[in-house]
PDB file of all heavy atoms in Angstrom:
ATOM      1  N   ASN A  20     191.963  35.483 -85.659  1.00  0.00           N
ATOM      2  CA  ASN A  20     193.008  34.485 -85.553  1.00  0.00           C
ATOM      3  C   ASN A  20     192.781  33.622 -84.336  1.00  0.00           C
ATOM      4  O   ASN A  20     193.018  32.388 -84.393  1.00  0.00           O
ATOM      5  CB  ASN A  20     194.367  35.156 -85.468  1.00  0.00           C
ATOM      6  CG  ASN A  20     194.767  35.806 -86.757  1.00  0.00           C
ATOM      7  OD1 ASN A  20     194.244  35.498 -87.830  1.00  0.00           O
ATOM      8  ND2 ASN A  20     195.726  36.705 -86.702  1.00  0.00           N
ATOM      9  N   LEU A  21     192.331  34.187 -83.229  1.00  0.00           N
ATOM     10  CA  LEU A  21     192.029  33.402 -82.032  1.00  0.00           C
ATOM     11  C   LEU A  21     190.918  32.387 -82.356  1.00  0.00           C
ATOM     12  O   LEU A  21     191.003  31.225 -81.955  1.00  0.00           O
ATOM     13  CB  LEU A  21     191.596  34.324 -80.878  1.00  0.00           C
ATOM     14  CG  LEU A  21     191.205  33.623 -79.596  1.00  0.00           C
ATOM     15  CD1 LEU A  21     192.377  32.825 -79.035  1.00  0.00           C
ATOM     16  CD2 LEU A  21     190.725  34.657 -78.581  1.00  0.00           C
ATOM     17  N   ALA A  22     189.881  32.813 -83.050  1.00  0.00           N
ATOM     18  CA  ALA A  22     188.807  31.928 -83.443  1.00  0.00           C
ATOM     19  C   ALA A  22     189.320  30.766 -84.302  1.00  0.00           C
ATOM     20  O   ALA A  22     188.905  29.611 -84.147  1.00  0.00           O
ATOM     21  CB  ALA A  22     187.684  32.707 -84.163  1.00  0.00           C
ATOM     22  N   ARG A  23     190.198  31.072 -85.243  1.00  0.00           N
ATOM     23  CA  ARG A  23     190.765  30.036 -86.114  1.00  0.00           C
ATOM     24  C   ARG A  23     191.585  28.994 -85.332  1.00  0.00           C
ATOM     25  O   ARG A  23     191.489  27.804 -85.544  1.00  0.00           O
ATOM     26  CB  ARG A  23     191.641  30.641 -87.217  1.00  0.00           C
ATOM     27  CG  ARG A  23     190.812  31.136 -88.419  1.00  0.00           C
ATOM     28  CD  ARG A  23     191.759  31.443 -89.569  1.00  0.00           C
ATOM     29  NE  ARG A  23     192.461  32.671 -89.383  1.00  0.00           N
ATOM     30  CZ  ARG A  23     192.125  33.849 -89.889  1.00  0.00           C
ATOM     31  NH1 ARG A  23     191.054  33.934 -90.657  1.00  0.00           N
ATOM     32  NH2 ARG A  23     192.850  34.908 -89.690  1.00  0.00           N
ATOM     33  N   VAL A  24     192.402  29.485 -84.360  1.00  0.00           N
ATOM     34  CA  VAL A  24     193.187  28.588 -83.523  1.00  0.00           C
ATOM     35  C   VAL A  24     192.228  27.738 -82.700  1.00  0.00           C
ATOM     36  O   VAL A  24     192.460  26.511 -82.571  1.00  0.00           O
ATOM     37  CB  VAL A  24     194.146  29.390 -82.629  1.00  0.00           C
ATOM     38  CG1 VAL A  24     194.792  28.481 -81.608  1.00  0.00           C
ATOM     39  CG2 VAL A  24     195.239  30.039 -83.495  1.00  0.00           C
ATOM     40  N   PHE A  25     191.217  28.314 -82.129  1.00  0.00           N
ATOM     41  CA  PHE A  25     190.275  27.549 -81.319  1.00  0.00           C
ATOM     42  C   PHE A  25     189.611  26.472 -82.177  1.00  0.00           C
ATOM     43  O   PHE A  25     189.464  25.325 -81.750  1.00  0.00           O
ATOM     44  CB  PHE A  25     189.215  28.465 -80.717  1.00  0.00           C
ATOM     45  CG  PHE A  25     188.179  27.749 -79.935  1.00  0.00           C
ATOM     46  CD1 PHE A  25     188.445  27.254 -78.679  1.00  0.00           C
ATOM     47  CD2 PHE A  25     186.882  27.535 -80.455  1.00  0.00           C
ATOM     48  CE1 PHE A  25     187.511  26.531 -77.921  1.00  0.00           C
ATOM     49  CE2 PHE A  25     185.924  26.853 -79.729  1.00  0.00           C
ATOM     50  CZ  PHE A  25     186.247  26.379 -78.452  1.00  0.00           C
ATOM     51  N   GLU A  26     189.234  26.825 -83.409  1.00  0.00           N
ATOM     52  CA  GLU A  26     188.638  25.868 -84.311  1.00  0.00           C
ATOM     53  C   GLU A  26     189.557  24.708 -84.611  1.00  0.00           C
ATOM     54  O   GLU A  26     189.174  23.533 -84.586  1.00  0.00           O
ATOM     55  CB  GLU A  26     188.228  26.585 -85.627  1.00  0.00           C
ATOM     56  CG  GLU A  26     187.401  25.773 -86.566  1.00  0.00           C
ATOM     57  CD  GLU A  26     186.969  26.622 -87.758  1.00  0.00           C
ATOM     58  OE1 GLU A  26     186.456  27.738 -87.550  1.00  0.00           O
ATOM     59  OE2 GLU A  26     187.127  26.154 -88.909  1.00  0.00           O
ATOM     60  N   ARG A  27     190.821  25.025 -84.825  1.00  0.00           N
ATOM     61  CA  ARG A  27     191.838  23.979 -85.093  1.00  0.00           C
ATOM     62  C   ARG A  27     192.011  23.056 -83.867  1.00  0.00           C
ATOM     63  O   ARG A  27     192.112  21.860 -84.012  1.00  0.00           O
ATOM     64  CB  ARG A  27     193.179  24.645 -85.472  1.00  0.00           C
ATOM     65  CG  ARG A  27     194.173  23.685 -86.034  1.00  0.00           C
ATOM     66  CD  ARG A  27     195.369  24.338 -86.712  1.00  0.00           C
ATOM     67  NE  ARG A  27     195.962  25.407 -85.917  1.00  0.00           N
ATOM     68  CZ  ARG A  27     196.014  26.703 -86.278  1.00  0.00           C
ATOM     69  NH1 ARG A  27     195.533  27.052 -87.464  1.00  0.00           N
ATOM     70  NH2 ARG A  27     196.598  27.586 -85.550  1.00  0.00           N
ATOM     71  N   ILE A  28     192.001  23.612 -82.674  1.00  0.00           N
ATOM     72  CA  ILE A  28     192.106  22.829 -81.444  1.00  0.00           C
ATOM     73  C   ILE A  28     190.933  21.883 -81.348  1.00  0.00           C
ATOM     74  O   ILE A  28     191.091  20.701 -81.005  1.00  0.00           O
ATOM     75  CB  ILE A  28     192.197  23.757 -80.209  1.00  0.00           C
ATOM     76  CG1 ILE A  28     193.524  24.487 -80.157  1.00  0.00           C
ATOM     77  CG2 ILE A  28     191.966  22.979 -78.944  1.00  0.00           C
ATOM     78  CD1 ILE A  28     193.600  25.595 -79.130  1.00  0.00           C
ATOM     79  N   CYS A  29     189.725  22.335 -81.619  1.00  0.00           N
ATOM     80  CA  CYS A  29     188.547  21.489 -81.586  1.00  0.00           C
ATOM     81  C   CYS A  29     188.632  20.368 -82.590  1.00  0.00           C
ATOM     82  O   CYS A  29     188.352  19.191 -82.251  1.00  0.00           O
ATOM     83  CB  CYS A  29     187.280  22.302 -81.853  1.00  0.00           C
ATOM     84  SG  CYS A  29     186.853  23.415 -80.479  1.00  0.00           S
ATOM     85  N   VAL A  30     189.077  20.651 -83.826  1.00  0.00           N
ATOM     86  CA  VAL A  30     189.205  19.593 -84.849  1.00  0.00           C
ATOM     87  C   VAL A  30     190.244  18.588 -84.418  1.00  0.00           C
ATOM     88  O   VAL A  30     190.000  17.395 -84.458  1.00  0.00           O
ATOM     89  CB  VAL A  30     189.588  20.232 -86.191  1.00  0.00           C
ATOM     90  CG1 VAL A  30     190.028  19.188 -87.186  1.00  0.00           C
ATOM     91  CG2 VAL A  30     188.420  21.032 -86.748  1.00  0.00           C
ATOM     92  N   ASN A  31     191.409  19.058 -83.948  1.00  0.00           N
ATOM     93  CA  ASN A  31     192.467  18.118 -83.533  1.00  0.00           C
ATOM     94  C   ASN A  31     192.067  17.270 -82.353  1.00  0.00           C
ATOM     95  O   ASN A  31     192.555  16.154 -82.211  1.00  0.00           O
ATOM     96  CB  ASN A  31     193.760  18.908 -83.205  1.00  0.00           C
ATOM     97  CG  ASN A  31     194.369  19.527 -84.439  1.00  0.00           C
ATOM     98  OD1 ASN A  31     194.090  19.146 -85.565  1.00  0.00           O
ATOM     99  ND2 ASN A  31     195.245  20.495 -84.231  1.00  0.00           N
ATOM    100  N   ALA A  32     191.184  17.777 -81.525  1.00  0.00           N
ATOM    101  CA  ALA A  32     190.721  17.017 -80.339  1.00  0.00           C
ATOM    102  C   ALA A  32     189.502  16.134 -80.662  1.00  0.00           C
ATOM    103  O   ALA A  32     189.022  15.396 -79.824  1.00  0.00           O
ATOM    104  CB  ALA A  32     190.358  17.977 -79.213  1.00  0.00           C
ATOM    105  N   GLY A  33     189.025  16.227 -81.929  1.00  0.00           N
ATOM    106  CA  GLY A  33     187.899  15.418 -82.333  1.00  0.00           C
ATOM    107  C   GLY A  33     186.575  15.889 -81.768  1.00  0.00           C
ATOM    108  O   GLY A  33     185.618  15.080 -81.634  1.00  0.00           O
ATOM    109  N   LEU A  34     186.484  17.164 -81.411  1.00  0.00           N
ATOM    110  CA  LEU A  34     185.253  17.729 -80.868  1.00  0.00           C
ATOM    111  C   LEU A  34     184.350  18.247 -81.950  1.00  0.00           C
ATOM    112  O   LEU A  34     184.811  18.580 -83.037  1.00  0.00           O
ATOM    113  CB  LEU A  34     185.582  18.893 -79.897  1.00  0.00           C
ATOM    114  CG  LEU A  34     186.484  18.509 -78.720  1.00  0.00           C
ATOM    115  CD1 LEU A  34     186.887  19.781 -77.958  1.00  0.00           C
ATOM    116  CD2 LEU A  34     185.776  17.550 -77.805  1.00  0.00           C
ATOM    117  N   ARG A  35     183.070  18.306 -81.656  1.00  0.00           N
ATOM    118  CA  ARG A  35     182.148  18.871 -82.629  1.00  0.00           C
ATOM    119  C   ARG A  35     182.438  20.369 -82.806  1.00  0.00           C
ATOM    120  O   ARG A  35     182.991  21.017 -81.903  1.00  0.00           O
ATOM    121  CB  ARG A  35     180.698  18.636 -82.241  1.00  0.00           C
ATOM    122  CG  ARG A  35     180.236  19.433 -81.050  1.00  0.00           C
ATOM    123  CD  ARG A  35     178.762  19.088 -80.715  1.00  0.00           C
ATOM    124  NE  ARG A  35     178.345  19.752 -79.521  1.00  0.00           N
ATOM    125  CZ  ARG A  35     177.873  21.005 -79.486  1.00  0.00           C
ATOM    126  NH1 ARG A  35     177.775  21.729 -80.583  1.00  0.00           N
ATOM    127  NH2 ARG A  35     177.492  21.538 -78.337  1.00  0.00           N
ATOM    128  N   HIS A  36     182.032  20.916 -83.939  1.00  0.00           N
ATOM    129  CA  HIS A  36     182.277  22.330 -84.231  1.00  0.00           C
ATOM    130  C   HIS A  36     181.450  23.244 -83.280  1.00  0.00           C
ATOM    131  O   HIS A  36     180.247  23.082 -83.197  1.00  0.00           O
ATOM    132  CB  HIS A  36     181.934  22.665 -85.660  1.00  0.00           C
ATOM    133  CG  HIS A  36     182.030  24.107 -85.975  1.00  0.00           C
ATOM    134  ND1 HIS A  36     183.240  24.741 -86.136  1.00  0.00           N
ATOM    135  CD2 HIS A  36     181.068  25.041 -86.122  1.00  0.00           C
ATOM    136  CE1 HIS A  36     183.007  26.039 -86.368  1.00  0.00           C
ATOM    137  NE2 HIS A  36     181.701  26.241 -86.384  1.00  0.00           N
ATOM    138  N   ILE A  37     182.132  24.105 -82.587  1.00  0.00           N
ATOM    139  CA  ILE A  37     181.473  25.158 -81.810  1.00  0.00           C
ATOM    140  C   ILE A  37     182.271  26.442 -82.002  1.00  0.00           C
ATOM    141  O   ILE A  37     183.444  26.404 -82.348  1.00  0.00           O
ATOM    142  CB  ILE A  37     181.341  24.896 -80.315  1.00  0.00           C
ATOM    143  CG1 ILE A  37     182.733  24.731 -79.673  1.00  0.00           C
ATOM    144  CG2 ILE A  37     180.494  23.637 -80.045  1.00  0.00           C
ATOM    145  CD1 ILE A  37     182.676  24.698 -78.155  1.00  0.00           C
ATOM    146  N   ARG A  38     181.582  27.561 -81.868  1.00  0.00           N
ATOM    147  CA  ARG A  38     182.291  28.830 -81.966  1.00  0.00           C
ATOM    148  C   ARG A  38     182.921  29.139 -80.599  1.00  0.00           C
ATOM    149  O   ARG A  38     182.438  28.694 -79.572  1.00  0.00           O
ATOM    150  CB  ARG A  38     181.297  29.953 -82.301  1.00  0.00           C
ATOM    151  CG  ARG A  38     180.591  29.807 -83.597  1.00  0.00           C
ATOM    152  CD  ARG A  38     179.445  30.789 -83.722  1.00  0.00           C
ATOM    153  NE  ARG A  38     178.544  30.629 -82.589  1.00  0.00           N
ATOM    154  CZ  ARG A  38     177.877  31.629 -82.029  1.00  0.00           C
ATOM    155  NH1 ARG A  38     177.943  32.858 -82.473  1.00  0.00           N
ATOM    156  NH2 ARG A  38     177.069  31.416 -80.990  1.00  0.00           N
ATOM    157  N   LEU A  39     184.001  29.903 -80.629  1.00  0.00           N
ATOM    158  CA  LEU A  39     184.670  30.313 -79.414  1.00  0.00           C
ATOM    159  C   LEU A  39     183.637  31.024 -78.457  1.00  0.00           C
ATOM    160  O   LEU A  39     183.629  30.790 -77.285  1.00  0.00           O
ATOM    161  CB  LEU A  39     185.833  31.239 -79.729  1.00  0.00           C
ATOM    162  CG  LEU A  39     186.658  31.744 -78.558  1.00  0.00           C
ATOM    163  CD1 LEU A  39     187.276  30.586 -77.791  1.00  0.00           C
ATOM    164  CD2 LEU A  39     187.747  32.680 -79.063  1.00  0.00           C
ATOM    165  N   HIS A  40     182.787  31.843 -79.016  1.00  0.00           N
ATOM    166  CA  HIS A  40     181.786  32.568 -78.253  1.00  0.00           C
ATOM    167  C   HIS A  40     180.822  31.629 -77.544  1.00  0.00           C
ATOM    168  O   HIS A  40     180.264  31.998 -76.493  1.00  0.00           O
ATOM    169  CB  HIS A  40     181.061  33.542 -79.138  1.00  0.00           C
ATOM    170  CG  HIS A  40     180.100  34.423 -78.379  1.00  0.00           C
ATOM    171  ND1 HIS A  40     180.543  35.493 -77.630  1.00  0.00           N
ATOM    172  CD2 HIS A  40     178.772  34.340 -78.195  1.00  0.00           C
ATOM    173  CE1 HIS A  40     179.504  36.096 -77.015  1.00  0.00           C
ATOM    174  NE2 HIS A  40     178.411  35.409 -77.361  1.00  0.00           N
ATOM    175  N   ASP A  41     180.631  30.412 -78.066  1.00  0.00           N
ATOM    176  CA  ASP A  41     179.729  29.458 -77.440  1.00  0.00           C
ATOM    177  C   ASP A  41     180.195  29.064 -76.045  1.00  0.00           C
ATOM    178  O   ASP A  41     179.393  28.627 -75.220  1.00  0.00           O
ATOM    179  CB  ASP A  41     179.578  28.209 -78.322  1.00  0.00           C
ATOM    180  CG  ASP A  41     178.864  28.482 -79.606  1.00  0.00           C
ATOM    181  OD1 ASP A  41     178.070  29.479 -79.688  1.00  0.00           O
ATOM    182  OD2 ASP A  41     179.086  27.737 -80.596  1.00  0.00           O
ATOM    183  N   LEU A  42     181.488  29.235 -75.761  1.00  0.00           N
ATOM    184  CA  LEU A  42     181.986  28.953 -74.412  1.00  0.00           C
ATOM    185  C   LEU A  42     181.338  29.845 -73.376  1.00  0.00           C
ATOM    186  O   LEU A  42     181.165  29.446 -72.223  1.00  0.00           O
ATOM    187  CB  LEU A  42     183.486  29.074 -74.357  1.00  0.00           C
ATOM    188  CG  LEU A  42     184.278  28.094 -75.233  1.00  0.00           C
ATOM    189  CD1 LEU A  42     185.784  28.340 -75.148  1.00  0.00           C
ATOM    190  CD2 LEU A  42     183.920  26.651 -74.889  1.00  0.00           C
ATOM    191  N   ARG A  43     181.010  31.066 -73.752  1.00  0.00           N
ATOM    192  CA  ARG A  43     180.302  31.959 -72.800  1.00  0.00           C
ATOM    193  C   ARG A  43     178.927  31.399 -72.479  1.00  0.00           C
ATOM    194  O   ARG A  43     178.498  31.436 -71.333  1.00  0.00           O
ATOM    195  CB  ARG A  43     180.187  33.358 -73.373  1.00  0.00           C
ATOM    196  CG  ARG A  43     181.481  34.135 -73.334  1.00  0.00           C
ATOM    197  CD  ARG A  43     181.312  35.542 -73.880  1.00  0.00           C
ATOM    198  NE  ARG A  43     180.348  36.359 -73.149  1.00  0.00           N
ATOM    199  CZ  ARG A  43     180.559  36.978 -72.003  1.00  0.00           C
ATOM    200  NH1 ARG A  43     181.736  36.849 -71.404  1.00  0.00           N
ATOM    201  NH2 ARG A  43     179.645  37.719 -71.452  1.00  0.00           N
ATOM    202  N   HIS A  44     178.222  30.926 -73.495  1.00  0.00           N
ATOM    203  CA  HIS A  44     176.908  30.346 -73.252  1.00  0.00           C
ATOM    204  C   HIS A  44     177.007  29.113 -72.390  1.00  0.00           C
ATOM    205  O   HIS A  44     176.199  28.928 -71.466  1.00  0.00           O
ATOM    206  CB  HIS A  44     176.222  29.971 -74.594  1.00  0.00           C
ATOM    207  CG  HIS A  44     175.861  31.153 -75.435  1.00  0.00           C
ATOM    208  ND1 HIS A  44     174.644  31.748 -75.356  1.00  0.00           N
ATOM    209  CD2 HIS A  44     176.591  31.854 -76.370  1.00  0.00           C
ATOM    210  CE1 HIS A  44     174.603  32.748 -76.212  1.00  0.00           C
ATOM    211  NE2 HIS A  44     175.773  32.840 -76.828  1.00  0.00           N
ATOM    212  N   THR A  45     178.020  28.286 -72.646  1.00  0.00           N
ATOM    213  CA  THR A  45     178.193  27.096 -71.837  1.00  0.00           C
ATOM    214  C   THR A  45     178.513  27.444 -70.404  1.00  0.00           C
ATOM    215  O   THR A  45     177.957  26.854 -69.463  1.00  0.00           O
ATOM    216  CB  THR A  45     179.399  26.260 -72.440  1.00  0.00           C
ATOM    217  OG1 THR A  45     179.058  25.882 -73.778  1.00  0.00           O
ATOM    218  CG2 THR A  45     179.636  25.008 -71.592  1.00  0.00           C
ATOM    219  N   THR A  46     179.353  28.460 -70.208  1.00  0.00           N
ATOM    220  CA  THR A  46     179.691  28.876 -68.834  1.00  0.00           C
ATOM    221  C   THR A  46     178.432  29.382 -68.145  1.00  0.00           C
ATOM    222  O   THR A  46     178.194  29.010 -66.983  1.00  0.00           O
ATOM    223  CB  THR A  46     180.770  30.003 -68.881  1.00  0.00           C
ATOM    224  OG1 THR A  46     181.930  29.496 -69.511  1.00  0.00           O
ATOM    225  CG2 THR A  46     181.073  30.528 -67.500  1.00  0.00           C
ATOM    226  N   ALA A  47     177.625  30.179 -68.818  1.00  0.00           N
ATOM    227  CA  ALA A  47     176.389  30.691 -68.192  1.00  0.00           C
ATOM    228  C   ALA A  47     175.468  29.540 -67.822  1.00  0.00           C
ATOM    229  O   ALA A  47     174.886  29.529 -66.726  1.00  0.00           O
ATOM    230  CB  ALA A  47     175.719  31.663 -69.146  1.00  0.00           C
ATOM    231  N   SER A  48     175.338  28.593 -68.703  1.00  0.00           N
ATOM    232  CA  SER A  48     174.436  27.460 -68.428  1.00  0.00           C
ATOM    233  C   SER A  48     174.966  26.589 -67.284  1.00  0.00           C
ATOM    234  O   SER A  48     174.214  26.112 -66.458  1.00  0.00           O
ATOM    235  CB  SER A  48     174.259  26.602 -69.721  1.00  0.00           C
ATOM    236  OG  SER A  48     173.570  27.365 -70.678  1.00  0.00           O
ATOM    237  N   LEU A  49     176.277  26.411 -67.212  1.00  0.00           N
ATOM    238  CA  LEU A  49     176.875  25.639 -66.115  1.00  0.00           C
ATOM    239  C   LEU A  49     176.691  26.386 -64.784  1.00  0.00           C
ATOM    240  O   LEU A  49     176.380  25.738 -63.784  1.00  0.00           O
ATOM    241  CB  LEU A  49     178.363  25.369 -66.378  1.00  0.00           C
ATOM    242  CG  LEU A  49     178.667  24.324 -67.412  1.00  0.00           C
ATOM    243  CD1 LEU A  49     180.176  24.321 -67.720  1.00  0.00           C
ATOM    244  CD2 LEU A  49     178.210  22.957 -66.978  1.00  0.00           C
ATOM    245  N   LEU A  50     176.895  27.676 -64.792  1.00  0.00           N
ATOM    246  CA  LEU A  50     176.656  28.450 -63.578  1.00  0.00           C
ATOM    247  C   LEU A  50     175.198  28.276 -63.101  1.00  0.00           C
ATOM    248  O   LEU A  50     174.937  28.113 -61.916  1.00  0.00           O
ATOM    249  CB  LEU A  50     177.002  29.928 -63.813  1.00  0.00           C
ATOM    250  CG  LEU A  50     178.473  30.264 -64.014  1.00  0.00           C
ATOM    251  CD1 LEU A  50     178.638  31.696 -64.513  1.00  0.00           C
ATOM    252  CD2 LEU A  50     179.259  30.014 -62.753  1.00  0.00           C
ATOM    253  N   LYS A  51     174.262  28.313 -64.065  1.00  0.00           N
ATOM    254  CA  LYS A  51     172.860  28.114 -63.699  1.00  0.00           C
ATOM    255  C   LYS A  51     172.633  26.750 -63.135  1.00  0.00           C
ATOM    256  O   LYS A  51     172.015  26.597 -62.056  1.00  0.00           O
ATOM    257  CB  LYS A  51     171.993  28.317 -64.956  1.00  0.00           C
ATOM    258  CG  LYS A  51     170.510  28.051 -64.724  1.00  0.00           C
ATOM    259  CD  LYS A  51     169.759  28.122 -65.996  1.00  0.00           C
ATOM    260  CE  LYS A  51     168.326  27.629 -65.788  1.00  0.00           C
ATOM    261  NZ  LYS A  51     167.722  27.177 -67.018  1.00  0.00           N
ATOM    262  N   ARG A  52     173.166  25.728 -63.798  1.00  0.00           N
ATOM    263  CA  ARG A  52     172.947  24.370 -63.359  1.00  0.00           C
ATOM    264  C   ARG A  52     173.554  24.110 -61.972  1.00  0.00           C
ATOM    265  O   ARG A  52     173.029  23.325 -61.139  1.00  0.00           O
ATOM    266  CB  ARG A  52     173.540  23.372 -64.331  1.00  0.00           C
ATOM    267  CG  ARG A  52     173.414  21.896 -63.874  1.00  0.00           C
ATOM    268  CD  ARG A  52     173.959  20.939 -64.832  1.00  0.00           C
ATOM    269  NE  ARG A  52     173.007  20.763 -65.899  1.00  0.00           N
ATOM    270  CZ  ARG A  52     173.227  20.036 -66.977  1.00  0.00           C
ATOM    271  NH1 ARG A  52     174.388  19.415 -67.118  1.00  0.00           N
ATOM    272  NH2 ARG A  52     172.299  19.858 -67.875  1.00  0.00           N
ATOM    273  N   LEU A  53     174.661  24.770 -61.686  1.00  0.00           N
ATOM    274  CA  LEU A  53     175.316  24.618 -60.390  1.00  0.00           C
ATOM    275  C   LEU A  53     174.663  25.447 -59.272  1.00  0.00           C
ATOM    276  O   LEU A  53     175.147  25.434 -58.115  1.00  0.00           O
ATOM    277  CB  LEU A  53     176.814  24.957 -60.510  1.00  0.00           C
ATOM    278  CG  LEU A  53     177.628  24.008 -61.383  1.00  0.00           C
ATOM    279  CD1 LEU A  53     178.997  24.567 -61.662  1.00  0.00           C
ATOM    280  CD2 LEU A  53     177.671  22.614 -60.762  1.00  0.00           C
TER     281      LEU A  53
END
């Protein structure tokens, strides 16, 4: 259900489709870049 809500938020915001879990990868990559 959390994943479905996240998907709906992305669609409503006009964002490209990503999985909720992809936020962990993004966080890791941002930490590396910083």
